[in-house]
Amino acid sequence: MSGTTRLPYNLRYWGMVTMAEQVSGLGRHLVDCEIKFRRNRQMRAIYCALRLIFPLILVGTLADFINQAWLQRSGYYYQTLHVAKWVFQLKLCRQYLGLLSAGTLGMAAILVAFAVSFYLVAPATPVIANRLMAGIIAIIVLKTLNVNRATVLNNHPVQWLSNNLGLSGILVGVLVGLLVGNGYRWLINHQDAAQHPLAQSVGGISLWLIVLTGLGFLWLKTQTVGLTAALLALSRWPFQLPQHLGALLGFGLLTGLCQWLGILGPIASVGGQSVQAAQNLTAVLDHSGWQVPHPVTLHTVFDVYAASGGPGMVLALLLAIFLVNHNVRQRQIGWYCLIPTLGNFNAPLLVGLPVLFSPLLLVPFLLAPLVCTTLSWGCLVLHWVPAAAYPLANGTPGILQAYLGTGGSLAALTLSVVELALSTAIYYPFVKWAGIAEEVVAHETTIS
Amino acid sequence: MKRRFRSVLVIILGLVLLCVPGFLWRPQQRTAVQATYRSAMAPVFLVPGSSATQNRFNALVAGINQKAKHRHSLLRVEVMTDGTLKYTGSIRANDTQPIIVVGFENHHDGYATIQKQAKWFTIAFQALQRTYHFNHFSAMGHSNGGLVLTIFLEDDLAKTKAHADRLMTIASPFNLEESDQNVDTPLFKQLSAGRQRLPKELTVYSIAGSQGYSGDGIVPFDSVNRGKLIFQGQVKSFTQMTVTGANANHADLPENQQILALIRQDLLA
């Protein structure tokens, strides 16, 4: 079906939806943007890839959640339910779950690179072998960027690295997938149709491999750090020791942006910050009162109050999904992600919805933590709530982090609940609009 | 509409339910945090033997730092007979494993002095703890220094609330200079009687020097060997080693390359 005949139909559908849902002017505009964005060929490939890997991310995160929160010493349930006393074969369970999460989450970047490249090439060719080969080349290129540099430069047997290929490598996976997919697509469109299929594929593949491995080698030769490590370092450098509101907000903004771009993972644990956290803890343990030398740190503001359900106040996003109750797929994803999100593991919801690369959802994803940070900062400066000093156990339910971090302050608990409600309100309209945009785009795909 | 609020209610109920263990556990939280909390800084205390001062280990620390990845800063403390402290050297900011040598103005030999030195060590330890807020440490004592540390661990460690990680004694005479195996000195009786108060999480290394087959020239081998009667079964692990060869006589042991390697490998690890 051609574009000109498709558009009026969609506009009609779009109009029906917006009338039924009473979307405001701003909402219409944002939904329009989101729909345009989602129609883009590159973005569609990325969304399809994220949708494809969602089950794997979910299983891996669940395994990781059980391991971290129930079976490790620093886990919330391990401590509060005294798991060590009653669980059967603790060590064996830890090892098994560790393997399970490494096998899924640990390969997220590879899977994304394969899938993005595959979905980019898929509309251009009916030959399945070509689509698969595009994905395979993406994997090879990603691996050439993740290689032990010294072994290559010294002519030793090449060692492949497996770090940086986890959740924090999704962005690199996407970039490699786009590069390879688009290149391969161009090659297919410009092939000489008269040639024998075998000659076509051998020629194309070898050309691409030689060019791309060359690019990888060039990076290796000139740069001392891996691509993913370089991106991670770049995202960390501006805010080493945030102690003022401005720096805290900047840090929150940057963390949110990185997560949205697919650098998931623990960016919040900045080196040097731990010194202040340790001094706070020592002060609290040494003295009977609750006096903390550094009331405003990343830990006391951002970790405790602005990360319910993981960075980005994702617990509020979950609540908003069920409050909107409009889009069946959103709700289903919400149910699947319920358990990890209640334990502050936000990856499945970010990938499944997806929040990653969605311009519409970026707004509340950045805004909600910023509002929470500002509010908590204000309350801390005015001494309405004590500063958290105790270490946070992994998997502590979002609203309980402040309460346990401050050793049982009800004011802190109240503040967390208020902030969760506020964040849910911030997410609500955007989740509604994202649902509409997705329905329109999905409708379009089914009729075309 | 109804279904919308039912789902939200289910999630909020689930959230509250998951919070219940946290609320129930909260009263035990302080104890739990205190038991598992370890400060970033874990100093290494060095205590010299009799007739040696706080400068005794300067060469040893230089030797350690030659091959160390991160240089250990060196603080020397001298405890005067009236309990006041004199400091030389300093601890670098962010050094998590500084070396602190504690020497004594009165560094004569003898049972009575060792008792006093143990009390003086406690004074220095508590003063340093107040300044640097560490709550765990390791220690090495040469000769009588090892005895001072053992008495401290038995009698005074509990009241400092610190955790002892590793202890290394080098040629420490747990039965003083007594060479008759059948005689128990008062010091040995004291250490043996208090051995149950030794920290259970402690790892102990006892090193003996050997020149000939009976001792290191000053301390009889049997006296060092009696460490097992004090530590074995009381602490997490107890390892005894004998060093022979060049520089194996009593006074040279801190400069012995084998012992330097053992300190690097076992005490500073």
mmCIF file of all heavy atoms in Angstrom, chain A residues 409-440:
data_model
loop_
_atom_site.group_PDB
_atom_site.id
_atom_site.type_symbol
_atom_site.label_atom_id
_atom_site.label_comp_id
_atom_site.label_asym_id
_atom_site.label_seq_id
_atom_site.Cartn_x
_atom_site.Cartn_y
_atom_site.Cartn_z
ATOM 1 N N SER A 409 12.991 6.533 59.973
ATOM 2 C CA SER A 409 12.348 7.840 60.098
ATOM 3 C C SER A 409 11.023 7.842 59.332
ATOM 4 O O SER A 409 10.984 7.581 58.128
ATOM 5 C CB SER A 409 13.268 8.926 59.544
ATOM 6 O OG SER A 409 12.503 10.032 59.138
ATOM 7 N N LEU A 410 9.927 8.123 60.038
ATOM 8 C CA LEU A 410 8.616 8.127 59.388
ATOM 9 C C LEU A 410 8.478 9.311 58.433
ATOM 10 O O LEU A 410 7.779 9.223 57.431
ATOM 11 C CB LEU A 410 7.508 8.151 60.438
ATOM 12 C CG LEU A 410 7.317 6.815 61.156
ATOM 13 C CD1 LEU A 410 6.305 6.941 62.282
ATOM 14 C CD2 LEU A 410 6.894 5.704 60.202
ATOM 15 N N ALA A 411 9.167 10.410 58.758
ATOM 16 C CA ALA A 411 9.131 11.571 57.858
ATOM 17 C C ALA A 411 9.726 11.186 56.503
ATOM 18 O O ALA A 411 9.190 11.544 55.448
ATOM 19 C CB ALA A 411 9.910 12.721 58.470
ATOM 20 N N ALA A 412 10.831 10.437 56.533
ATOM 21 C CA ALA A 412 11.474 10.003 55.288
ATOM 22 C C ALA A 412 10.548 9.090 54.498
ATOM 23 O O ALA A 412 10.443 9.187 53.273
ATOM 24 C CB ALA A 412 12.785 9.292 55.595
ATOM 25 N N LEU A 413 9.850 8.197 55.218
ATOM 26 C CA LEU A 413 8.912 7.284 54.556
ATOM 27 C C LEU A 413 7.794 8.082 53.880
ATOM 28 O O LEU A 413 7.443 7.836 52.723
ATOM 29 C CB LEU A 413 8.333 6.315 55.586
ATOM 30 C CG LEU A 413 7.343 5.280 55.059
ATOM 31 C CD1 LEU A 413 8.008 4.358 54.065
ATOM 32 C CD2 LEU A 413 6.741 4.472 56.197
ATOM 33 N N THR A 414 7.270 9.063 54.609
ATOM 34 C CA THR A 414 6.203 9.893 54.055
ATOM 35 C C THR A 414 6.674 10.621 52.799
ATOM 36 O O THR A 414 5.974 10.663 51.785
ATOM 37 C CB THR A 414 5.740 10.933 55.098
ATOM 38 O OG1 THR A 414 5.636 10.282 56.351
ATOM 39 C CG2 THR A 414 4.412 11.534 54.727
ATOM 40 N N LEU A 415 7.890 11.179 52.891
ATOM 41 C CA LEU A 415 8.434 11.900 51.730
ATOM 42 C C LEU A 415 8.531 10.972 50.522
ATOM 43 O O LEU A 415 8.185 11.352 49.403
ATOM 44 C CB LEU A 415 9.806 12.486 52.079
ATOM 45 C CG LEU A 415 10.495 13.271 50.967
ATOM 46 C CD1 LEU A 415 9.668 14.458 50.543
ATOM 47 C CD2 LEU A 415 11.883 13.735 51.413
ATOM 48 N N SER A 416 8.982 9.723 50.756
ATOM 49 C CA SER A 416 9.084 8.772 49.639
ATOM 50 C C SER A 416 7.730 8.519 49.012
ATOM 51 O O SER A 416 7.607 8.458 47.781
ATOM 52 C CB SER A 416 9.626 7.421 50.112
ATOM 53 O OG SER A 416 10.795 7.563 50.801
ATOM 54 N N VAL A 417 6.717 8.336 49.851
ATOM 55 C CA VAL A 417 5.380 8.044 49.323
ATOM 56 C C VAL A 417 4.857 9.250 48.533
ATOM 57 O O VAL A 417 4.310 9.095 47.432
ATOM 58 C CB VAL A 417 4.420 7.673 50.480
ATOM 59 C CG1 VAL A 417 3.008 7.510 49.950
ATOM 60 C CG2 VAL A 417 4.878 6.386 51.138
ATOM 61 N N VAL A 418 5.069 10.453 49.081
ATOM 62 C CA VAL A 418 4.620 11.664 48.388
ATOM 63 C C VAL A 418 5.313 11.766 47.029
ATOM 64 O O VAL A 418 4.682 12.049 45.998
ATOM 65 C CB VAL A 418 4.922 12.913 49.245
ATOM 66 C CG1 VAL A 418 4.743 14.185 48.424
ATOM 67 C CG2 VAL A 418 4.023 12.940 50.465
ATOM 68 N N GLU A 419 6.616 11.498 47.016
ATOM 69 C CA GLU A 419 7.368 11.614 45.764
ATOM 70 C C GLU A 419 6.923 10.568 44.749
ATOM 71 O O GLU A 419 6.885 10.832 43.550
ATOM 72 C CB GLU A 419 8.864 11.511 46.037
ATOM 73 C CG GLU A 419 9.377 12.786 46.670
ATOM 74 C CD GLU A 419 10.847 12.769 46.970
ATOM 75 O OE1 GLU A 419 11.447 11.684 46.949
ATOM 76 O OE2 GLU A 419 11.398 13.840 47.235
ATOM 77 N N LEU A 420 6.577 9.375 45.246
ATOM 78 C CA LEU A 420 6.089 8.336 44.330
ATOM 79 C C LEU A 420 4.777 8.784 43.696
ATOM 80 O O LEU A 420 4.576 8.653 42.480
ATOM 81 C CB LEU A 420 5.909 7.015 45.086
ATOM 82 C CG LEU A 420 5.459 5.837 44.231
ATOM 83 C CD1 LEU A 420 6.509 5.497 43.192
ATOM 84 C CD2 LEU A 420 5.162 4.627 45.093
ATOM 85 N N ALA A 421 3.895 9.340 44.516
ATOM 86 C CA ALA A 421 2.602 9.807 43.998
ATOM 87 C C ALA A 421 2.806 10.925 42.978
ATOM 88 O O ALA A 421 2.215 10.920 41.890
ATOM 89 C CB ALA A 421 1.740 10.291 45.156
ATOM 90 N N LEU A 422 3.697 11.842 43.312
ATOM 91 C CA LEU A 422 3.990 12.973 42.429
ATOM 92 C C LEU A 422 4.547 12.483 41.087
ATOM 93 O O LEU A 422 4.136 12.936 40.007
ATOM 94 C CB LEU A 422 5.019 13.860 43.121
ATOM 95 C CG LEU A 422 5.015 15.340 42.805
ATOM 96 C CD1 LEU A 422 3.697 15.946 43.234
ATOM 97 C CD2 LEU A 422 6.160 16.028 43.538
ATOM 98 N N SER A 423 5.472 11.533 41.170
ATOM 99 C CA SER A 423 6.083 11.006 39.947
ATOM 100 C C SER A 423 5.050 10.281 39.102
ATOM 101 O O SER A 423 5.082 10.349 37.871
ATOM 102 C CB SER A 423 7.223 10.053 40.287
ATOM 103 O OG SER A 423 8.159 10.686 41.090
ATOM 104 N N THR A 424 4.135 9.560 39.774
ATOM 105 C CA THR A 424 3.085 8.864 39.027
ATOM 106 C C THR A 424 2.246 9.880 38.257
ATOM 107 O O THR A 424 1.899 9.666 37.098
ATOM 108 C CB THR A 424 2.187 8.061 39.988
ATOM 109 O OG1 THR A 424 3.021 7.283 40.845
ATOM 110 C CG2 THR A 424 1.259 7.148 39.240
ATOM 111 N N ALA A 425 1.950 10.997 38.919
ATOM 112 C CA ALA A 425 1.174 12.047 38.249
ATOM 113 C C ALA A 425 1.943 12.606 37.058
ATOM 114 O O ALA A 425 1.359 12.905 36.009
ATOM 115 C CB ALA A 425 0.850 13.157 39.236
ATOM 116 N N ILE A 426 3.258 12.747 37.199
ATOM 117 C CA ILE A 426 4.070 13.255 36.083
ATOM 118 C C ILE A 426 4.050 12.263 34.923
ATOM 119 O O ILE A 426 3.919 12.635 33.757
ATOM 120 C CB ILE A 426 5.526 13.506 36.541
ATOM 121 C CG1 ILE A 426 5.552 14.657 37.537
ATOM 122 C CG2 ILE A 426 6.429 13.793 35.352
ATOM 123 C CD1 ILE A 426 6.911 14.893 38.159
ATOM 124 N N TYR A 427 4.152 10.980 35.231
ATOM 125 C CA TYR A 427 4.202 9.961 34.182
ATOM 126 C C TYR A 427 2.858 9.805 33.467
ATOM 127 O O TYR A 427 2.806 9.497 32.278
ATOM 128 C CB TYR A 427 4.608 8.598 34.779
ATOM 129 C CG TYR A 427 6.089 8.306 34.692
ATOM 130 C CD1 TYR A 427 6.892 8.246 35.823
ATOM 131 C CD2 TYR A 427 6.703 8.070 33.463
ATOM 132 C CE1 TYR A 427 8.250 7.972 35.749
ATOM 133 C CE2 TYR A 427 8.054 7.791 33.374
ATOM 134 C CZ TYR A 427 8.820 7.744 34.517
ATOM 135 O OH TYR A 427 10.163 7.467 34.428
ATOM 136 N N TYR A 428 1.751 10.024 34.231
ATOM 137 C CA TYR A 428 0.421 9.645 33.741
ATOM 138 C C TYR A 428 0.112 10.123 32.314
ATOM 139 O O TYR A 428 -0.146 9.294 31.428
ATOM 140 C CB TYR A 428 -0.639 10.111 34.741
ATOM 141 C CG TYR A 428 -2.038 9.755 34.347
ATOM 142 C CD1 TYR A 428 -2.554 8.505 34.675
ATOM 143 C CD2 TYR A 428 -2.841 10.631 33.639
ATOM 144 C CE1 TYR A 428 -3.837 8.147 34.310
ATOM 145 C CE2 TYR A 428 -4.127 10.280 33.258
ATOM 146 C CZ TYR A 428 -4.614 9.039 33.596
ATOM 147 O OH TYR A 428 -5.870 8.682 33.217
ATOM 148 N N PRO A 429 0.170 11.422 32.040
ATOM 149 C CA PRO A 429 -0.224 11.833 30.678
ATOM 150 C C PRO A 429 0.698 11.261 29.609
ATOM 151 O O PRO A 429 0.234 10.873 28.517
ATOM 152 C CB PRO A 429 -0.116 13.361 30.732
ATOM 153 C CG PRO A 429 0.733 13.675 31.894
ATOM 154 C CD PRO A 429 0.549 12.566 32.874
ATOM 155 N N PHE A 430 1.977 11.185 29.915
ATOM 156 C CA PHE A 430 2.925 10.714 28.897
ATOM 157 C C PHE A 430 2.704 9.239 28.571
ATOM 158 O O PHE A 430 2.810 8.831 27.422
ATOM 159 C CB PHE A 430 4.359 10.957 29.378
ATOM 160 C CG PHE A 430 4.705 12.410 29.467
ATOM 161 C CD1 PHE A 430 4.568 13.093 30.664
ATOM 162 C CD2 PHE A 430 5.144 13.111 28.360
ATOM 163 C CE1 PHE A 430 4.875 14.430 30.754
ATOM 164 C CE2 PHE A 430 5.446 14.456 28.435
ATOM 165 C CZ PHE A 430 5.308 15.122 29.633
ATOM 166 N N VAL A 431 2.401 8.466 29.599
ATOM 167 C CA VAL A 431 2.133 7.045 29.362
ATOM 168 C C VAL A 431 0.885 6.902 28.493
ATOM 169 O O VAL A 431 0.839 6.088 27.566
ATOM 170 C CB VAL A 431 1.964 6.304 30.707
ATOM 171 C CG1 VAL A 431 1.454 4.894 30.477
ATOM 172 C CG2 VAL A 431 3.284 6.268 31.457
ATOM 173 N N LYS A 432 -0.108 7.748 28.760
ATOM 174 C CA LYS A 432 -1.344 7.712 27.976
ATOM 175 C C LYS A 432 -1.033 8.014 26.507
ATOM 176 O O LYS A 432 -1.441 7.282 25.607
ATOM 177 C CB LYS A 432 -2.300 8.755 28.544
ATOM 178 C CG LYS A 432 -3.700 8.660 28.016
ATOM 179 C CD LYS A 432 -4.630 9.417 28.929
ATOM 180 C CE LYS A 432 -5.206 10.610 28.228
ATOM 181 N NZ LYS A 432 -6.086 11.392 29.098
ATOM 182 N N TRP A 433 -0.267 9.089 26.285
ATOM 183 C CA TRP A 433 0.059 9.479 24.909
ATOM 184 C C TRP A 433 0.916 8.428 24.221
ATOM 185 O O TRP A 433 0.734 8.145 23.044
ATOM 186 C CB TRP A 433 0.779 10.840 24.915
ATOM 187 C CG TRP A 433 -0.088 11.933 25.457
ATOM 188 C CD1 TRP A 433 -1.456 11.981 25.444
ATOM 189 C CD2 TRP A 433 0.348 13.135 26.118
ATOM 190 N NE1 TRP A 433 -1.902 13.116 26.050
ATOM 191 C CE2 TRP A 433 -0.822 13.858 26.471
ATOM 192 C CE3 TRP A 433 1.580 13.669 26.450
ATOM 193 C CZ2 TRP A 433 -0.779 15.079 27.143
ATOM 194 C CZ3 TRP A 433 1.632 14.895 27.097
ATOM 195 C CH2 TRP A 433 0.465 15.593 27.449
ATOM 196 N N ALA A 434 1.848 7.838 24.972
ATOM 197 C CA ALA A 434 2.707 6.803 24.368
ATOM 198 C C ALA A 434 1.860 5.622 23.933
ATOM 199 O O ALA A 434 2.097 5.021 22.875
ATOM 200 C CB ALA A 434 3.771 6.362 25.367
ATOM 201 N N GLY A 435 0.862 5.297 24.745
ATOM 202 C CA GLY A 435 -0.043 4.194 24.398
ATOM 203 C C GLY A 435 -0.782 4.482 23.095
ATOM 204 O O GLY A 435 -0.889 3.620 22.219
ATOM 205 N N ILE A 436 -1.266 5.715 22.966
ATOM 206 C CA ILE A 436 -1.993 6.100 21.741
ATOM 207 C C ILE A 436 -1.064 6.013 20.536
ATOM 208 O O ILE A 436 -1.409 5.423 19.502
ATOM 209 C CB ILE A 436 -2.552 7.534 21.879
ATOM 210 C CG1 ILE A 436 -3.617 7.554 22.970
ATOM 211 C CG2 ILE A 436 -3.135 8.002 20.560
ATOM 212 C CD1 ILE A 436 -4.065 8.939 23.358
ATOM 213 N N ALA A 437 0.127 6.593 20.678
ATOM 214 C CA ALA A 437 1.085 6.582 19.567
ATOM 215 C C ALA A 437 1.379 5.156 19.140
ATOM 216 O O ALA A 437 1.411 4.845 17.945
ATOM 217 C CB ALA A 437 2.369 7.287 19.986
ATOM 218 N N GLU A 438 1.553 4.286 20.128
ATOM 219 C CA GLU A 438 1.892 2.910 19.784
ATOM 220 C C GLU A 438 0.747 2.237 19.045
ATOM 221 O O GLU A 438 0.944 1.515 18.075
ATOM 222 C CB GLU A 438 2.239 2.130 21.048
ATOM 223 C CG GLU A 438 2.886 0.797 20.699
ATOM 224 C CD GLU A 438 2.995 -0.096 21.901
ATOM 225 O OE1 GLU A 438 3.643 0.343 22.861
ATOM 226 O OE2 GLU A 438 2.451 -1.200 21.867
ATOM 227 N N GLU A 439 -0.478 2.528 19.490
ATOM 228 C CA GLU A 439 -1.639 1.913 18.839
ATOM 229 C C GLU A 439 -1.752 2.358 17.384
ATOM 230 O O GLU A 439 -2.027 1.551 16.501
ATOM 231 C CB GLU A 439 -2.906 2.279 19.596
ATOM 232 C CG GLU A 439 -3.410 1.111 20.406
ATOM 233 C CD GLU A 439 -4.576 1.480 21.273
ATOM 234 O OE1 GLU A 439 -5.405 2.284 20.829
ATOM 235 O OE2 GLU A 439 -4.630 0.970 22.394
ATOM 236 N N VAL A 440 -1.538 3.654 17.175
ATOM 237 C CA VAL A 440 -1.630 4.168 15.803
ATOM 238 C C VAL A 440 -0.589 3.491 14.919
ATOM 239 O O VAL A 440 -0.898 3.020 13.815
ATOM 240 C CB VAL A 440 -1.427 5.699 15.791
ATOM 241 C CG1 VAL A 440 -1.357 6.203 14.362
ATOM 242 C CG2 VAL A 440 -2.548 6.381 16.541
#
